[in-house]
Amino acid sequence: DSPMEAPKTVKKNWYRLDNSAKIYPAVMSRNWASMFRVSLTLKEPVDPAVLQAALEDTVRRIPTFCLSLHRGLFWYYLNASRQRPLVEPDVANPCKKMEKGENGGYCFRVRYYRCRIAVELFHSIADGTGAMIFLKTLAGRYLQLRGYDVVPDGEMLDCSQEPTEDEMEDSHSKYAQFRHIESRREEKAYHPRMTREPAPTLHVITGLLPVAQVHERAKALGATINEYLAGALCYAFYIRQKQERNHREYPVKISVPINMRAFYPSKTVRNFALFVNPGVDPAYGEYSFEEIVQHIHHFMRLRLNEKYLNAVLSANVGSEKNAVSRAVPLFIKNFVMSMAYRLYGESRYSISFSNLGLTRVPPSMEPYVERFDFMMGAQRFNSHGACAVSYGDTLAINITSTVEETDIERLFFTELVKRGIHVRIESNRD
């Protein structure tokens, strides 16, 4: 393929990984990497040739997606690539690890199926918010090339403009203030005993819910939609642990990413999120559904403030800036980070739940968009991942798993139905 022309304003040929991106290459294995996916469904079938042209315009506008991962002596880094990324048909098992050299060496792929456009990416290049900006820009540009009058706004970048430095910055390093360093030591969480499927199997069970009904039930408990759904997931794992009748019961914790753009004026399309792990410990006694939601609500109120989050941000950035750790060769860093991930990563929560909230598109684009979806790829050790995104009056929750059993999904959706929420289920299982 002929090489692509670089945007005029982009002088950099390589980028350091941003702070939260550094863990992902260190902990990936031969069969696994931290992948996730955002997609939107249009009201008409996708034309692959037009989508290909739209993708080429989009990567010129968002050059931080136009990068391939490389191993340096001390750190991994991202190198600008001029290869042409290619769109491809969708597959039954999404979010498979990107193979070396696949799609021009990029850390993302664009897939299409009927009316759906999907972007799958390695977490090192962007978080959910960055991926969503890329997807909306791609879909908006696609509709423009199809002849529709779509006018870009804050939700979608304008492909006729040049990229800006703020969109490419590492916001972690920029905003860490080092007033206080917060320890992240936590107890081990409960993990269900289930039957693991061979890689790259990824089961996806989707629940489509009316936003108004979920909002009403959450409001009745004084909680947000995010807190309510995290509580419902926590309750499903809590009940599953009770059913196992284990000799010792572990805390049930939900890892919830926090979009730091809500606290700082960052325009980055790279990673800028931190994680908090609310939940309950059965050692204190029995918990009702309502109590769990309340528990998560109060935990989030306490943690979601700039001062606490900056202390966590500073802890993460501080370890990277430490002179000793900077001088350690990459193979030793990889070993240490991999061990730390085993000890303090997924073992500290039962499931990760990422909610992008209510997503919007430019008003001129609304007539053509049916819905959005957001899903996590396989976890390295944990059995399940959950993601949510709302568009219009529909909330889509995608629960992905790498196990045969569907107890968690059944407990979760059944509890919502019991509470008067209408749930429509879709699945990629046979």
Side-chain angles (χ1 to χ4, degrees):
D1 272 328
S2 54
M4 289 199 322
E5 169 199 344
K8 297 181 193 67
T9 52
V10 177
K11 300 176 181 70
K12 291 174 77 166
N13 281 325
W14 68 279
Y15 293 79
R16 289 190 175 89
L17 270 71
D18 59 67
N19 177 262
S20 66
K22 285 188 164 71
I23 188 72
Y24 300 115
V27 301
M28 67 183 175
S29 68
R30 202 173 54 207
N31 292 322
W32 177 85
S34 184
M35 299 285 296
F36 70 97
R37 165 178 170 127
V38 289
S39 64
L40 64 70
T41 306
L42 296 171
K43 292 180 181 175
E44 60 174 50
V46 173
D47 180 329
V50 179
L51 183 62
Q52 178 63 42
L55 174 58
E56 288 167 31
D57 289 348
T58 305
V59 291
R60 271 191 287 268
R61 176 63 188 83
I62 308 178
T64 48
F65 270 66
C66 229
L67 301 169
S68 53
L69 184 71
H70 296 269
R71 183 189 286 263
L73 181 58
F74 297 103
W75 293 107
Y76 285 98
Y77 63 95
L78 294 162
N79 209 34
S81 175
R82 302 283 173 251
Q83 293 292 315
R84 198 175 294 276
L86 302 175
V87 302
E88 56 188 82
D90 211 348
V91 294
N93 283 309
C95 294
K96 185 175 179 283
K97 180 189 173 187
M98 301 287 302
E99 297 301 333
K100 197 172 170 60
E102 181 189 338
N103 193 27
Y106 291 123
C107 297
F108 77 97
R109 53 170 86 94
V110 171
R111 291 176 153 166
Y112 59 88
Y113 174 70
R114 292 184 180 165
C115 303
R116 185 171 65 222
I117 299 171
V119 180
E120 295 182 359
L121 60 152
F122 182 37
H123 223 317
S124 272
I125 56 168
D127 57 16
T129 303
M132 210 41 122
I133 292 167
F134 184 89
L135 173 66
K136 289 177 192 177
T137 304
L138 171 65
R141 183 64 187 140
Y142 168 83
L143 289 166
Q144 286 176 336
L145 293 175
R146 289 274 293 132
Y148 299 117
D149 186 20
V150 170
V151 182
D153 69 0
E155 303 298 326
M156 164 199 168
L157 300 179
D158 186 342
C159 286
S160 69
Q161 293 177 346
E162 291 289 312
T164 67
E165 286 297 327
D166 335 350
E167 292 163 3
M168 298 184 258
E169 74 179 19
D170 176 358
S171 292
H172 294 83
S173 296
K174 180 174 178 177
Y175 292 106
Q177 287 156 6
F178 302 102
R179 291 182 300 240
H180 175 70
I181 305 292
E182 183 66 22
S183 165
R184 298 308 307 269
R185 289 194 176 277
E186 289 188 42
E187 281 183 89
K188 186 176 185 291
Y190 161 68
H191 296 98
R193 293 197 300 270
M194 291 183 169
T195 318
R196 195 92 181 191
E197 297 270 39
T201 308
L202 188 72
H203 297 304
V204 186
I205 295 184
T206 303
L208 299 169
L209 291 63
V211 172
Q213 284 183 7
V214 185
H215 179 256
E216 194 183 300
R217 303 303 182 278
K219 196 177 170 188
L221 296 178
T224 64
I225 287 179
N226 199 36
E227 291 159 356
Y228 187 83
L229 294 174
L233 277 169
C234 191
Y235 186 70
F237 277 84
Y238 170 79
I239 295 298
R240 180 60 162 71
Q241 180 167 220
K242 290 270 175 237
Q243 291 170 349
E244 282 184 17
R245 300 183 184 282
N246 295 327
H247 173 62
R248 180 188 167 188
E249 291 190 330
Y250 287 93
V252 177
K253 290 186 287 183
I254 311 297
S255 185
V256 181
I258 307 302
N259 179 8
M260 295 299 288
R261 297 167 186 82
F263 297 89
Y264 299 102
S266 169
K267 295 273 191 296
T268 189
V269 288
R270 299 172 75 191
N271 287 289
F272 197 32
L274 292 178
F275 295 82
V276 293
N277 299 340
V280 293
D281 187 346
Y284 290 99
E286 304 281 321
Y287 288 89
S288 66
F289 176 91
E290 289 77 7
E291 280 179 301
I292 290 177
V293 172
Q294 288 291 310
H295 218 79
I296 287 176
H297 164 72
H298 291 299
F299 180 99
M300 299 295 267
R301 293 306 88 187
L302 196 62
R303 295 287 192 270
L304 262 65
N305 64 80
E306 188 273 339
K307 291 177 178 62
Y308 172 80
L309 292 169
N310 200 283
V312 175
L313 184 64
S314 300
N316 294 350
V317 174
S319 55
E320 169 197 328
K321 291 194 180 301
N322 177 298
V324 176
S325 76
R326 287 171 74 168
V328 170
L330 183 63
F331 73 94
I332 298 176
K333 280 195 187 94
N334 281 351
F335 176 75
V336 171
M337 286 164 89
S338 192
M339 288 304 293
Y341 189 75
R342 277 176 184 275
L343 294 171
Y344 305 114
E346 292 177 39
S347 67
R348 267 48 196 166
Y349 55 86
S350 310
I351 184 173
S352 180
F353 172 55
S354 184
N355 180 8
L356 285 173
L358 186 61
T359 195
R360 294 181 172 85
V361 295
S364 56
M365 192 168 156
E366 283 171 8
Y368 314 111
V369 179
E370 186 75 48
R371 76 183 237 205
F372 279 85
D373 282 277
F374 175 33
M375 72 178 67
M376 221 172 276
Q379 303 294 284
R380 176 84 196 262
F381 304 111
N382 288 1
S383 54
H384 292 76
C387 291
V389 62
S390 306
Y391 176 70
D393 53 9
T394 303
L395 191 156
I397 302 180
N398 285 289
I399 301 181
T400 49
S401 88
T402 49
V403 292
E404 283 178 19
E405 295 85 349
T406 56
D407 307 21
I408 295 297
E409 296 91 329
R410 192 181 66 251
L411 286 164
F412 173 73
F413 288 120
T414 303
E415 194 57 41
L416 296 180
V417 170
K418 267 191 212 164
R419 289 169 189 281
I421 297 170
H422 182 265
V423 180
R424 193 169 95 240
I425 297 287
E426 296 175 354
S427 172
N428 73 339
R429 292 181 180 234
D430 297 333

